[in-house]
């Protein structure tokens, strides 16, 4: 058996250096990175990359920064297992491998000119932050912007500094709620669905963008439909097991659809009847 | 263009042909292992080869997409050096049945579709293929006629038809022609030889009949209407989730990617390994959600990946009718029986509508 080097392999990662790591919550860390040579990642909001801790493995992670902030990119990673825990052990100066970006992100061109109702549950804020920051950097290209955030407890809140900024801005309507909190918590307590009825939107010109854990979708989408947002104006992003990111390994398949290539962002109208989708 | 499409090889020259071929490259061919099992392995002379064999335990996909292959080599000692690699070898596969030719064609489509998989493609260009026609059914588990894989539909360099005392050899490619030129055992074909081939084909038509009571053009519709069928629950109840059916399938290509470090803990390789949609963690994600938790859902997925999804994507079935999944299943799950049950259930439903 001959072993030969190949140049055009799609499996070879680029190197990215960690510039800064911040512990955001007990489980999540924020990574600020640059590609070797200062190359741009050139992603769309909502796309993901395959992140390698070389020697440990490779996992899909959403890019959580906006492409409008070029020259570097951010990841927000929850430590759940082998690769993500090893990532958490890394420090500024360490190098990781990166393949991608992959998949179809949020349809920015279609969203432009419309009102946005962004609904984030838990770690769903990570991919949505890429969209939110893109929208804020191009604020006049969009109509009204509503951001609703739900998480387990105040301690689980990600990007706390930025949330504070959004709260202050006059051109964004931001609200958040937590499932559980200590009595001294001044904010909302309750599921994310409790925030929805109070949001004032014009359904015909509103696109809802929802990212969160699987259980959230069912309830949130029901509320969105109750607000008369058309099915084709609801966007979701799916998490599936992914190994290749290129439509080959089969891990991310939902019936005939490959989440890594056809998604992870989907239009609700197109996938609502797909069993195994929700 | 050279006007020679067919030649003949006398059986007494078969050993010489294989030995000659094996001098310049590896020759892989079906070899009997007892107990009605056969495997593709290296041979150096023709008498090692089983010319009459039922589908090998593993299909020839193992040469195109090895069970475990390195994709990337890395070394952290040298400042995280990473190099994409492919393991490859020049070889001739001899004796590939038409069902397995169809299987290789399926894999070719998958891996040459963009983004192209250069590990697969590099290997593909190193492998020459000599097909071998089946004159009879291998056994009762085959359903090759259903998907038209009992006859050759391209995908080979040379194709051998066994007409008794000699083989009629179809030369399909320049690479095939080179094999002919290089080995010098082939003779020009005469009119009466051609007649033997025509007779053989006629005879085959009487032996190979559609194994399942459905036309292949109606299969897509059958599957369209069978997503909620109780047949999947029945199959799921019996399935042990061992993944043997997908391992032996010539068109199953799902995989896992894993890193392995050497003893120095710095260098190592990233491997691609066969993985099965029948295993429980296949579709598991970090939140603990498993999108195909039940064995029934996983079996259904396997069948839909044979008869429905690839038809929409590649316009072809990803079942070649080779029967391997049925032969290997410890739970006795039979592909033909499952298809028959789906059809029966549809027919019953139609009757109920009529009554
Ligand atoms: C499109 C997409 C975007 C994602 N974005 C983020 C993000 O921004 N931040 C973040 O923290 N996480 C994200 N994830 C989840 C992240 O990929 C998993 O947490 C990670 O793969 C777990 O790997 P591990 O080696 O640490 O865990 P393991 O020890 O391998 O396993 C722990 C759990 O994670 C699941 N898992 C393992 N490998 C994968 C895989 N390749 N794909 C999916 N699930 C897997 C396992 O089934 C198991 O349930 C995203 C996943 C997808 C599909
Ligand atoms: S070989 Fe049989 S028991 Fe094993 S996974 Fe396949 S169908 Fe199930
Ligand atoms: S599904 Fe079964 S019969 Fe069909 S190609 Fe695969 S192993 Fe052969
Ligand atoms: S991640 Fe491999 S097919 Fe989608």
């Amino acid at each position: 058996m001959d072993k030969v080097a190949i140049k055009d392999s799609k499996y070879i990662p680029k190197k990215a250096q960690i510039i800064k790591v911040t512990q955001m919550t007990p489980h999540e860390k924020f990574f600020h990175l640059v590609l070797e040579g200062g190359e741009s990642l050139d992603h769309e909001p909502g796309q993901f990359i395959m992140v390698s801790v070389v020697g440990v493995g490779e996992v899909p992670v959403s890019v959580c920064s906006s492409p409008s902030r070029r020259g570097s990119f951010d990841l927000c990673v929850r430590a759940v297992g082998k690769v993500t825990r090893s990532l958490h052990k890394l420090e500024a100066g360490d190098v990781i491998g990166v393949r991608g970006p992959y998949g179809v992100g949020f349809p920015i061109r279609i969203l432009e000119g419309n009102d946005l109702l962004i609904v984030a549950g838990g770690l769903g804020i990570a991919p949505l932050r890429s969209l939110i920051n893109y929208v804020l950097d191009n604020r006049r290209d969009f109509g009204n912007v509503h951001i609703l955030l739900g998480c387990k407890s105040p301690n689980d809140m990600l990007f706390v500094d930025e949330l504070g900024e959004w709260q202050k801005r006059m051109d964004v309507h931001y609200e958040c709620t937590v499932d559980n909190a200590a009595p001294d918590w001044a904010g909302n307590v309750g599921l994310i669905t409790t925030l929805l009825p109070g949001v004032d939107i014009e359904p015909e010109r509103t696109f809802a963008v929802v990212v969160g854990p699987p259980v959230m979708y069912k309830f949130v989408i029901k509320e969105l439909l109750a607000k008369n947002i058309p099915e084709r104006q609801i966007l979701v992003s799916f998490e599936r097991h992914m190994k290749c990111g290129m439509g080959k390994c089969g891990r991310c398949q939902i019936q005939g659809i490959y989440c890594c290539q056809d998604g992870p962002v989907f239009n609700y109208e197109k996938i609502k009847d797909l069993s195994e989708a929700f | 263009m050279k006007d020679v499409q067919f030649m003949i090889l006398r059986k007494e020259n078969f050993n010489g042909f294989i030995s000659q071929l094996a001098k310049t490259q590896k020759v892989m061919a079906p070899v009997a292992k007892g107990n009605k099992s056969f495997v593709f392995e290296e041979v150096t002379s023709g008498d090692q080869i089983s010319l009459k064999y039922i589908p090998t335990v593993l299909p020839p996909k193992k040469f195109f997409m090895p069970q475990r292959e390195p994709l990337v080599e890395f070394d952290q000692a040298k400042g995280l050096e990473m190099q994409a690699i492919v393991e490859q070898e020049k070889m001739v596969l001899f004796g590939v049945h038409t069902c397995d030719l169809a299987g290789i064609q399926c894999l070719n489509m998958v891996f040459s579709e963009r983004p192209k998989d250069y590990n697969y493609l590099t290997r593909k260009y190193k492998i020459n293929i000599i097909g071998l026609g089946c004159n009879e059914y291998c056994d009762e588990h085959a359903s090759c006629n259903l998907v038209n894989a009992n006859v050759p539909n391209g995908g080979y360099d040379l194709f051998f038809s066994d007409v008794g005392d000699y083989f009629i050899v179809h030369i399909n490619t320049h690479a095939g022609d080179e094999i002919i030129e290089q080995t010098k055992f082939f003779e020009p074909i005469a009119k009466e030889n051609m007649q033997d081939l025509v007779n053989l084909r006629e005879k085959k038509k009487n032996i190979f009949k559609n194994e399942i009571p459905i036309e292949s053009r109606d299969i897509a519709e059958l599957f369209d209407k069978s997503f909620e069928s109780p047949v999947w629950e029945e199959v799921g109840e019996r399935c042990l989730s061992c993944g043997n059916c997908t391992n032996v399938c010539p068109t199953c290509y799902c995989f896992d990617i894993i890193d392995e470090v050497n003893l120095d803990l710095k260098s190592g390789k990233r491997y691609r390994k066969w993985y099965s949609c029948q295993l429980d963690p296949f579709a598991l994600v970090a939140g603990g959600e498993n999108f195909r938790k039940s064995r029934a859902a996983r079996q259904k997925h396997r069948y839909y990946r044979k008869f429905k999804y690839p038809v929409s994507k590649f316009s072809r079935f990803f079942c070649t009718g080779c029967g391997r999944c049925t032969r290997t299943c410890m739970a006795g799950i039979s592909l033909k029986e499952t298809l028959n049950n789906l059809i029966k259930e549809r027919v019953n439903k139609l009757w109920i509508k009529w009554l």
Side-chain angles (χ1 to χ4, degrees), chain A residues 28 46-50 56-64 75-86 123 126-127 237-243 259 264, chain B residues 281 283-289:
Chain A
E28 280 103 3
Q47 281 192 303
F48 67 95
I49 54 176
M50 295 300 296
V56 183
E58 209 178 22
V59 292
V61 179
S62 306
V63 182
C64 71
L75 304 175
C76 165
V77 178
R78 175 179 292 175
V80 298
K82 229 170 46 180
V83 179
T84 47
R85 282 204 198 105
S86 319
L123 200 49
S237 180
F238 283 157
E239 178 183 350
R240 285 297 186 276
H241 206 106
M242 293 184 181
K243 282 290 171 185
C259 282
Chain B
L284 185 69
V285 298
E289 194 83 16

Short mmCIF file of all heavy atoms in Angstrom, two decimals, chain A residues 28 46-50 56-64 75-86 123 126-127 237-243 259 264, chain B residues 281 283-289, ligand 1:
data_model
loop_
_atom_site.label_atom_id
_atom_site.label_comp_id
_atom_site.label_asym_id
_atom_site.label_seq_id
_atom_site.Cartn_x
_atom_site.Cartn_y
_atom_site.Cartn_z
N GLU A 28 -19.66 27.33 29.42
CA GLU A 28 -19.38 27.87 28.09
C GLU A 28 -18.19 28.82 28.09
O GLU A 28 -18.06 29.67 28.98
CB GLU A 28 -20.60 28.62 27.53
CG GLU A 28 -21.64 27.69 26.94
CD GLU A 28 -22.83 27.50 27.87
OE1 GLU A 28 -22.84 28.14 28.95
OE2 GLU A 28 -23.73 26.71 27.53
N GLY A 46 -24.78 32.25 10.49
CA GLY A 46 -25.53 30.99 10.57
C GLY A 46 -24.77 29.79 10.06
O GLY A 46 -25.20 28.65 10.26
N GLN A 47 -23.65 30.01 9.36
CA GLN A 47 -22.86 28.88 8.90
C GLN A 47 -22.03 28.31 10.06
O GLN A 47 -21.84 28.97 11.07
CB GLN A 47 -21.91 29.30 7.78
CG GLN A 47 -22.59 29.43 6.42
CD GLN A 47 -21.56 29.57 5.32
OE1 GLN A 47 -20.74 30.48 5.35
NE2 GLN A 47 -21.59 28.68 4.35
N PHE A 48 -21.55 27.09 9.86
CA PHE A 48 -20.73 26.49 10.92
C PHE A 48 -19.39 26.06 10.34
O PHE A 48 -19.20 26.05 9.11
CB PHE A 48 -21.46 25.28 11.53
CG PHE A 48 -21.62 24.12 10.59
CD1 PHE A 48 -20.70 23.07 10.60
CD2 PHE A 48 -22.67 24.06 9.68
CE1 PHE A 48 -20.83 21.99 9.72
CE2 PHE A 48 -22.81 22.99 8.80
CZ PHE A 48 -21.89 21.95 8.83
N ILE A 49 -18.46 25.75 11.24
CA ILE A 49 -17.17 25.21 10.81
C ILE A 49 -16.92 23.90 11.55
O ILE A 49 -17.55 23.62 12.57
CB ILE A 49 -16.01 26.20 11.09
CG1 ILE A 49 -16.01 26.61 12.58
CG2 ILE A 49 -16.10 27.42 10.21
CD1 ILE A 49 -14.85 27.50 12.96
N MET A 50 -16.02 23.09 11.04
CA MET A 50 -15.58 21.90 11.76
C MET A 50 -14.30 22.30 12.50
O MET A 50 -13.33 22.73 11.88
CB MET A 50 -15.30 20.75 10.80
CG MET A 50 -16.52 20.22 10.06
SD MET A 50 -17.88 19.58 11.07
CE MET A 50 -17.12 18.17 11.86
N VAL A 56 -7.53 14.79 19.16
CA VAL A 56 -8.72 14.46 19.95
C VAL A 56 -9.92 14.23 19.03
O VAL A 56 -10.62 13.23 19.13
CB VAL A 56 -9.04 15.56 20.98
CG1 VAL A 56 -10.23 15.15 21.84
CG2 VAL A 56 -7.83 15.84 21.85
N GLY A 57 -10.13 15.17 18.13
CA GLY A 57 -11.25 14.99 17.20
C GLY A 57 -11.71 16.31 16.62
O GLY A 57 -11.11 17.35 16.84
N GLU A 58 -12.82 16.19 15.90
CA GLU A 58 -13.35 17.31 15.14
C GLU A 58 -14.85 17.42 15.40
O GLU A 58 -15.54 16.40 15.39
CB GLU A 58 -13.11 16.99 13.66
CG GLU A 58 -12.92 18.17 12.77
CD GLU A 58 -12.63 17.73 11.34
OE1 GLU A 58 -12.97 16.60 10.96
OE2 GLU A 58 -12.07 18.54 10.61
N VAL A 59 -15.32 18.64 15.67
CA VAL A 59 -16.77 18.81 15.92
C VAL A 59 -17.30 20.05 15.22
O VAL A 59 -16.57 21.01 14.98
CB VAL A 59 -17.08 18.94 17.44
CG1 VAL A 59 -16.82 17.63 18.17
CG2 VAL A 59 -16.29 20.08 18.07
N PRO A 60 -18.61 20.03 14.88
CA PRO A 60 -19.21 21.21 14.26
C PRO A 60 -19.49 22.29 15.30
O PRO A 60 -20.00 21.99 16.37
CB PRO A 60 -20.53 20.67 13.69
CG PRO A 60 -20.86 19.48 14.53
CD PRO A 60 -19.56 18.91 15.00
N VAL A 61 -19.15 23.51 14.97
CA VAL A 61 -19.43 24.65 15.86
C VAL A 61 -19.87 25.83 15.00
O VAL A 61 -19.27 26.11 13.96
CB VAL A 61 -18.19 25.05 16.70
CG1 VAL A 61 -18.50 26.25 17.60
CG2 VAL A 61 -17.68 23.89 17.54
N SER A 62 -20.92 26.52 15.44
CA SER A 62 -21.39 27.69 14.70
C SER A 62 -20.41 28.83 14.87
O SER A 62 -19.88 29.04 15.97
CB SER A 62 -22.74 28.16 15.25
OG SER A 62 -23.65 27.11 15.26
N VAL A 63 -20.23 29.59 13.82
CA VAL A 63 -19.43 30.81 13.95
C VAL A 63 -20.35 31.83 14.60
O VAL A 63 -21.46 32.06 14.12
CB VAL A 63 -18.98 31.33 12.56
CG1 VAL A 63 -18.11 32.56 12.71
CG2 VAL A 63 -18.26 30.23 11.81
N CYS A 64 -19.93 32.42 15.73
CA CYS A 64 -20.88 33.30 16.42
C CYS A 64 -20.58 34.77 16.20
O CYS A 64 -21.21 35.64 16.79
CB CYS A 64 -21.00 32.93 17.89
SG CYS A 64 -19.58 33.34 18.89
N LEU A 75 -16.06 31.91 18.46
CA LEU A 75 -16.83 30.69 18.73
C LEU A 75 -17.27 30.75 20.18
O LEU A 75 -16.58 31.32 21.02
CB LEU A 75 -15.96 29.44 18.52
CG LEU A 75 -15.29 29.26 17.16
CD1 LEU A 75 -14.38 28.04 17.20
CD2 LEU A 75 -16.33 29.11 16.05
N CYS A 76 -18.40 30.13 20.45
CA CYS A 76 -18.86 30.00 21.82
C CYS A 76 -19.12 28.51 22.01
O CYS A 76 -19.95 27.92 21.32
CB CYS A 76 -20.14 30.82 22.00
SG CYS A 76 -21.02 30.40 23.50
N VAL A 77 -18.38 27.89 22.91
CA VAL A 77 -18.42 26.44 23.00
C VAL A 77 -18.81 25.97 24.39
O VAL A 77 -18.25 26.41 25.40
CB VAL A 77 -17.04 25.84 22.62
CG1 VAL A 77 -17.06 24.32 22.76
CG2 VAL A 77 -16.66 26.24 21.20
N ARG A 78 -19.78 25.08 24.43
CA ARG A 78 -20.18 24.44 25.68
C ARG A 78 -19.41 23.13 25.83
O ARG A 78 -19.36 22.33 24.89
CB ARG A 78 -21.69 24.16 25.65
CG ARG A 78 -22.19 23.39 26.86
CD ARG A 78 -23.67 23.15 26.78
NE ARG A 78 -24.40 24.41 26.91
CZ ARG A 78 -25.74 24.51 26.78
NH1 ARG A 78 -26.44 23.43 26.49
NH2 ARG A 78 -26.34 25.67 26.91
N ALA A 79 -18.81 22.94 27.00
CA ALA A 79 -18.06 21.69 27.22
C ALA A 79 -19.04 20.57 27.54
O ALA A 79 -19.71 20.60 28.56
CB ALA A 79 -17.07 21.88 28.36
N VAL A 80 -19.17 19.63 26.63
CA VAL A 80 -20.10 18.50 26.86
C VAL A 80 -19.40 17.16 26.76
O VAL A 80 -19.89 16.16 27.25
CB VAL A 80 -21.28 18.50 25.87
CG1 VAL A 80 -22.13 19.75 26.03
CG2 VAL A 80 -20.81 18.35 24.43
N GLY A 81 -18.25 17.11 26.08
CA GLY A 81 -17.62 15.80 25.86
C GLY A 81 -16.17 15.96 25.51
O GLY A 81 -15.52 16.96 25.84
N LYS A 82 -15.69 14.95 24.78
CA LYS A 82 -14.26 14.81 24.52
C LYS A 82 -13.64 16.05 23.87
O LYS A 82 -12.75 16.68 24.44
CB LYS A 82 -14.07 13.61 23.58
CG LYS A 82 -13.01 12.64 24.02
CD LYS A 82 -13.05 11.37 23.17
CE LYS A 82 -13.15 11.69 21.71
NZ LYS A 82 -13.20 10.67 20.76
N VAL A 83 -14.13 16.40 22.72
CA VAL A 83 -13.50 17.48 21.96
C VAL A 83 -13.76 18.84 22.61
O VAL A 83 -12.85 19.66 22.75
CB VAL A 83 -13.97 17.48 20.50
CG1 VAL A 83 -13.33 18.62 19.72
CG2 VAL A 83 -13.67 16.14 19.85
N THR A 84 -15.00 19.05 23.01
CA THR A 84 -15.33 20.37 23.57
C THR A 84 -14.61 20.59 24.89
O THR A 84 -14.18 21.70 25.20
CB THR A 84 -16.85 20.52 23.73
OG1 THR A 84 -17.38 19.35 24.36
CG2 THR A 84 -17.54 20.71 22.40
N ARG A 85 -14.43 19.53 25.70
CA ARG A 85 -13.66 19.70 26.95
C ARG A 85 -12.19 20.00 26.65
O ARG A 85 -11.59 20.83 27.33
CB ARG A 85 -13.76 18.44 27.82
CG ARG A 85 -15.08 18.39 28.53
CD ARG A 85 -15.04 17.55 29.80
NE ARG A 85 -16.42 17.24 30.13
CZ ARG A 85 -16.99 16.05 29.93
NH1 ARG A 85 -16.26 15.04 29.49
NH2 ARG A 85 -18.25 15.88 30.18
N SER A 86 -11.64 19.36 25.62
CA SER A 86 -10.24 19.66 25.27
C SER A 86 -10.12 21.09 24.77
O SER A 86 -9.13 21.76 25.04
CB SER A 86 -9.72 18.74 24.17
OG SER A 86 -10.13 17.44 24.37
N LEU A 123 -28.06 27.90 24.10
CA LEU A 123 -26.88 28.05 23.24
C LEU A 123 -27.26 28.51 21.82
O LEU A 123 -26.39 28.85 21.02
CB LEU A 123 -26.15 26.70 23.19
CG LEU A 123 -24.69 26.66 22.77
CD1 LEU A 123 -23.85 27.66 23.52
CD2 LEU A 123 -24.14 25.25 22.97
N ALA A 126 -25.70 31.47 20.12
CA ALA A 126 -24.39 31.49 19.45
C ALA A 126 -24.52 31.74 17.94
O ALA A 126 -23.99 32.73 17.44
CB ALA A 126 -23.62 30.21 19.76
N PRO A 127 -25.23 30.88 17.20
CA PRO A 127 -25.38 31.20 15.78
C PRO A 127 -26.14 32.50 15.55
O PRO A 127 -25.86 33.23 14.60
CB PRO A 127 -26.16 30.01 15.22
CG PRO A 127 -26.70 29.27 16.38
CD PRO A 127 -25.81 29.57 17.55
N SER A 237 -32.80 26.74 12.81
CA SER A 237 -31.49 26.14 12.53
C SER A 237 -31.39 24.85 13.33
O SER A 237 -31.72 24.82 14.51
CB SER A 237 -30.37 27.11 12.94
OG SER A 237 -29.13 26.52 12.65
N PHE A 238 -30.98 23.77 12.66
CA PHE A 238 -30.98 22.45 13.28
C PHE A 238 -29.60 22.01 13.72
O PHE A 238 -28.61 22.26 13.04
CB PHE A 238 -31.51 21.41 12.29
CG PHE A 238 -32.99 21.42 12.14
CD1 PHE A 238 -33.58 20.91 11.00
CD2 PHE A 238 -33.81 21.94 13.14
CE1 PHE A 238 -34.96 20.91 10.84
CE2 PHE A 238 -35.19 21.95 12.99
CZ PHE A 238 -35.77 21.43 11.85
N GLU A 239 -29.60 21.30 14.82
CA GLU A 239 -28.36 20.67 15.25
C GLU A 239 -28.48 19.17 14.96
O GLU A 239 -29.45 18.53 15.34
CB GLU A 239 -28.16 20.88 16.76
CG GLU A 239 -26.90 20.21 17.24
CD GLU A 239 -26.69 20.33 18.75
OE1 GLU A 239 -27.41 21.10 19.40
OE2 GLU A 239 -25.80 19.62 19.25
N ARG A 240 -27.51 18.63 14.28
CA ARG A 240 -27.48 17.19 14.02
C ARG A 240 -26.05 16.71 14.21
O ARG A 240 -25.12 17.51 14.22
CB ARG A 240 -27.92 16.88 12.57
CG ARG A 240 -29.40 17.00 12.33
CD ARG A 240 -30.18 16.01 13.17
NE ARG A 240 -31.60 15.98 12.88
CZ ARG A 240 -32.53 16.81 13.38
NH1 ARG A 240 -32.16 17.80 14.18
NH2 ARG A 240 -33.80 16.69 13.07
N HIS A 241 -25.91 15.41 14.36
CA HIS A 241 -24.56 14.86 14.44
C HIS A 241 -23.89 15.10 13.09
O HIS A 241 -24.49 14.83 12.06
CB HIS A 241 -24.62 13.37 14.75
CG HIS A 241 -23.39 12.88 15.43
ND1 HIS A 241 -23.36 12.56 16.75
CD2 HIS A 241 -22.14 12.68 14.96
CE1 HIS A 241 -22.14 12.17 17.08
NE2 HIS A 241 -21.38 12.24 16.01
N MET A 242 -22.70 15.62 13.09
CA MET A 242 -22.03 15.92 11.82
C MET A 242 -20.58 15.49 11.89
O MET A 242 -19.91 15.76 12.88
CB MET A 242 -22.09 17.41 11.52
CG MET A 242 -23.49 17.91 11.24
SD MET A 242 -23.48 19.65 10.81
CE MET A 242 -25.24 19.93 10.58
N LYS A 243 -20.13 14.85 10.85
CA LYS A 243 -18.74 14.39 10.83
C LYS A 243 -17.96 14.96 9.65
O LYS A 243 -16.77 15.18 9.74
CB LYS A 243 -18.70 12.86 10.76
CG LYS A 243 -18.95 12.20 12.09
CD LYS A 243 -17.80 12.43 13.04
CE LYS A 243 -18.14 11.96 14.43
NZ LYS A 243 -17.09 12.27 15.39
N CYS A 259 -28.42 18.11 6.60
CA CYS A 259 -28.38 19.37 7.36
C CYS A 259 -27.10 20.15 7.12
O CYS A 259 -27.09 21.36 7.20
CB CYS A 259 -28.48 19.08 8.85
SG CYS A 259 -30.15 18.74 9.31
N PRO A 264 -27.52 24.32 8.04
CA PRO A 264 -28.44 24.02 9.14
C PRO A 264 -29.66 24.93 9.22
O PRO A 264 -30.61 24.61 9.89
CB PRO A 264 -27.56 24.20 10.39
CG PRO A 264 -26.49 25.16 9.97
CD PRO A 264 -26.25 24.90 8.51
N PRO B 281 -26.02 5.43 18.53
CA PRO B 281 -25.52 6.81 18.63
C PRO B 281 -25.40 7.56 17.30
O PRO B 281 -24.97 8.71 17.30
CB PRO B 281 -24.11 6.64 19.24
CG PRO B 281 -23.88 5.19 19.43
CD PRO B 281 -24.94 4.45 18.70
N ALA B 283 -27.31 9.17 15.29
CA ALA B 283 -27.93 10.49 15.12
C ALA B 283 -28.08 11.23 16.44
O ALA B 283 -28.88 12.15 16.56
CB ALA B 283 -29.29 10.34 14.42
N LEU B 284 -27.30 10.82 17.43
CA LEU B 284 -27.37 11.44 18.75
C LEU B 284 -26.65 12.79 18.75
O LEU B 284 -25.58 12.90 18.17
CB LEU B 284 -26.70 10.50 19.76
CG LEU B 284 -26.74 10.88 21.24
CD1 LEU B 284 -28.17 10.76 21.77
CD2 LEU B 284 -25.82 9.96 22.04
N VAL B 285 -27.24 13.80 19.40
CA VAL B 285 -26.53 15.07 19.52
C VAL B 285 -26.33 15.44 20.99
O VAL B 285 -26.87 14.78 21.88
CB VAL B 285 -27.21 16.24 18.77
CG1 VAL B 285 -27.26 15.97 17.28
CG2 VAL B 285 -28.60 16.50 19.33
N ALA B 286 -25.58 16.53 21.18
CA ALA B 286 -25.08 16.86 22.50
C ALA B 286 -26.17 17.05 23.56
O ALA B 286 -25.98 16.65 24.70
CB ALA B 286 -24.21 18.11 22.43
N GLY B 287 -27.29 17.62 23.21
CA GLY B 287 -28.35 17.80 24.20
C GLY B 287 -28.96 16.49 24.68
O GLY B 287 -29.81 16.47 25.55
N GLY B 288 -28.56 15.37 24.05
CA GLY B 288 -29.09 14.07 24.41
C GLY B 288 -30.22 13.63 23.49
O GLY B 288 -30.74 12.52 23.60
N GLU B 289 -30.59 14.51 22.57
CA GLU B 289 -31.65 14.18 21.62
C GLU B 289 -31.13 13.16 20.61
O GLU B 289 -30.04 13.32 20.08
CB GLU B 289 -32.06 15.46 20.89
CG GLU B 289 -33.35 15.36 20.13
CD GLU B 289 -34.57 15.59 21.02
OE1 GLU B 289 -34.41 16.11 22.14
OE2 GLU B 289 -35.66 15.24 20.57
C1 LIG C 1 -24.42 22.92 13.04
C2 LIG C 1 -23.97 22.77 14.46
C3 LIG C 1 -23.55 23.88 15.17
C4 LIG C 1 -23.12 23.75 16.47
N1 LIG C 1 -22.70 24.89 17.11
C5 LIG C 1 -22.25 24.79 18.38
C6 LIG C 1 -21.78 25.95 19.05
O1 LIG C 1 -21.77 27.05 18.52
N2 LIG C 1 -21.33 25.79 20.32
C7 LIG C 1 -21.32 24.57 20.95
O2 LIG C 1 -20.88 24.49 22.10
N3 LIG C 1 -21.77 23.48 20.34
C8 LIG C 1 -22.23 23.54 19.07
N4 LIG C 1 -22.68 22.41 18.43
C9 LIG C 1 -22.69 21.14 19.18
C10 LIG C 1 -21.32 20.50 19.18
O3 LIG C 1 -21.00 20.10 17.89
C11 LIG C 1 -21.27 19.27 20.11
O4 LIG C 1 -21.43 19.70 21.42
C12 LIG C 1 -19.96 18.55 19.99
O5 LIG C 1 -19.93 17.89 18.76
C13 LIG C 1 -19.74 17.53 21.08
O6 LIG C 1 -18.52 16.86 20.83
P1 LIG C 1 -17.62 16.29 21.99
O7 LIG C 1 -16.47 15.55 21.39
O8 LIG C 1 -17.26 17.34 22.95
O9 LIG C 1 -18.59 15.30 22.71
P2 LIG C 1 -18.59 13.71 22.72
O10 LIG C 1 -17.80 13.25 23.90
O11 LIG C 1 -18.20 13.15 21.41
O12 LIG C 1 -20.15 13.44 22.91
C14 LIG C 1 -21.00 14.23 23.73
C15 LIG C 1 -22.33 14.42 23.05
O13 LIG C 1 -22.18 15.21 21.86
C16 LIG C 1 -22.68 14.55 20.73
N5 LIG C 1 -21.78 14.75 19.57
C17 LIG C 1 -20.54 14.22 19.46
N6 LIG C 1 -19.99 14.53 18.28
C18 LIG C 1 -20.90 15.26 17.62
C19 LIG C 1 -20.92 15.83 16.32
N7 LIG C 1 -19.89 15.66 15.49
N8 LIG C 1 -22.00 16.53 15.94
C20 LIG C 1 -23.04 16.68 16.78
N9 LIG C 1 -23.10 16.13 18.03
C21 LIG C 1 -22.05 15.42 18.44
C22 LIG C 1 -22.69 13.10 21.11
O14 LIG C 1 -23.68 12.40 20.39
C23 LIG C 1 -22.98 13.13 22.57
O15 LIG C 1 -24.35 13.22 22.80
C24 LIG C 1 -23.12 22.50 17.13
C25 LIG C 1 -23.55 21.38 16.43
C26 LIG C 1 -23.98 21.51 15.12
C27 LIG C 1 -24.44 20.30 14.39
#
